[in-house]
């Protein structure tokens, strides 16, 4: 069914790296240092919840293009103000928290999965992260991607069609020759609408220990896998 696939494109936040652990840890360290008595896990969750709405405002023309670091900073500033701790968290701390998205830990199986897939396919990162962010992140996490495609190159955010179609164009393949792997149904829906093939990879801990991650049963895709090894095997690697 997927014999025509030549490129496997990976979502990054949550699919290849563990954003929840990385951001919660960084928030906890900053709050402890500044005496902020807020739950780091709940704060990290709230910050992440502003991710899709902030990008939607760019995609629908409510605001001009801004790369993800700028959107993360705006969401962070607003969240700190809402919790009335803006005075306790200064510029250096805010810059540190935004930069935390540049150095998230990889899932333990990501390296092996990407290495296996590269034996048969061109394997690229396809993320809403800015290009500089992704370069930093991939290098720090040691992820063996063949290339990086940032939404910044398309000046539009997933799940709009442009980032998916830009990936196909830059790699000189048809959209149907690209398989998007993601742990999020909304991302797969966007890819499918743009003509890509889709694979869901379950990441049960993607939203931390207290919230349920997306499940295969709730997702429309060409292929669903409950583990990295299953995904690799089903793709012939």
């Amino acid at each position: 069914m997927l014999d025509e696939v030549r490129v496997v494109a990976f979502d990054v936040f949550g699919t290849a790296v563990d954003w929840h652990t990385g951001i919660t840890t960084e928030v906890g360290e900053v709050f402890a240092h500044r005496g902020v008595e807020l739950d780091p896990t709940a704060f990290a969750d709230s910050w992440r919840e502003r991710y899709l709405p902030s990008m939607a405002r760019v995609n629908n023309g409510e605001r001009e293009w801004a790369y993800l670091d700028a959107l993360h900073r705006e969401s962070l500033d607003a969240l700190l103000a809402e919790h009335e701790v803006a005075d306790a968290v200064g510029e250096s701390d805010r810059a540190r928290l935004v930069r935390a998205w540049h150095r998230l830990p990889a899932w333990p199986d990501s390296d092996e999965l990407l290495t296996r897939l590269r034996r048969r396919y061109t394997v690229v990162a396809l993320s809403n992260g800015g290009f500089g962010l992704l370069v930093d992140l991939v290098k720090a996490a040691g992820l063996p991607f063949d290339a990086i495609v940032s939404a910044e190159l398309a000046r539009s955010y997933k799940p709009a069609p442009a980032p998916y179609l830009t990936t196909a164009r830059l790699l000189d393949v048809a959209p149907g020759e690209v398989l998007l792997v993601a742990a999020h149904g909304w991302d797969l829906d966007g890819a499918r609408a743009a003509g890509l093939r889709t694979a869901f990879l379950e990441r049960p801990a993607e939203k931390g220990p207290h919230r349920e991650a997306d499940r295969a049963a709730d997702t429309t895709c060409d292929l669903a896998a409950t583990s990295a090894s299953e995904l690799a095997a089903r793709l012939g690697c």
Side-chain angles (χ1 to χ4, degrees), residues 174-230:
E177 295 176 308
V178 181
L179 174 74
L180 178 74
V181 177
H184 312 109
W186 63 265
D187 201 354
L188 298 180
D189 291 345
R192 186 175 61 258
L196 276 63
R197 310 307 296 270
T198 56
F200 179 79
L201 175 58
E202 286 192 356
R203 291 297 193 190
E206 190 255 332
K207 296 181 180 180
H210 306 301
R211 296 193 302 161
E212 186 176 33
D214 289 8
R215 302 178 305 165
D218 302 324
T219 305
T220 300
C221 56
D222 295 303
L223 171 66
T226 59
S227 68
S229 59
E230 180 188 0

Side-chain angles (χ1 to χ4, degrees), residues 9-17 19 48 51 55 65 67-69 72 98-104 106 114 124-154 156-158 163 166-167 170 187:
F10 265 81
D11 171 58
V12 175
F13 299 126
T15 305
V17 302
W19 71 265
R48 175 67 172 181
Y51 174 74
M55 295 183 297
W65 167 260
Y67 75 146
L68 191 59
D69 278 5
H72 274 156
V98 170
R99 293 289 296 183
W101 293 91
H102 291 231
R103 51 180 184 274
L104 301 171
L114 297 175
V124 304
L126 170 53
S127 174
N128 282 328
F131 195 79
L133 180 158
L134 293 172
V135 170
D136 290 344
L137 180 56
V138 167
K139 183 174 182 177
L143 294 173
F145 286 111
D146 292 312
I148 292 169
V149 181
S150 164
E152 190 172 0
L153 300 175
S156 180
Y157 286 109
K158 299 185 295 177
T166 295
T167 302
L170 291 174
D187 201 354

Side-chain angles (χ1 to χ4, degrees), residues 50-61:
R50 297 176 182 234
Y51 174 74
L52 286 176
S54 69
M55 295 183 297
R57 288 190 287 274
V58 174
N59 284 347
N60 65 25

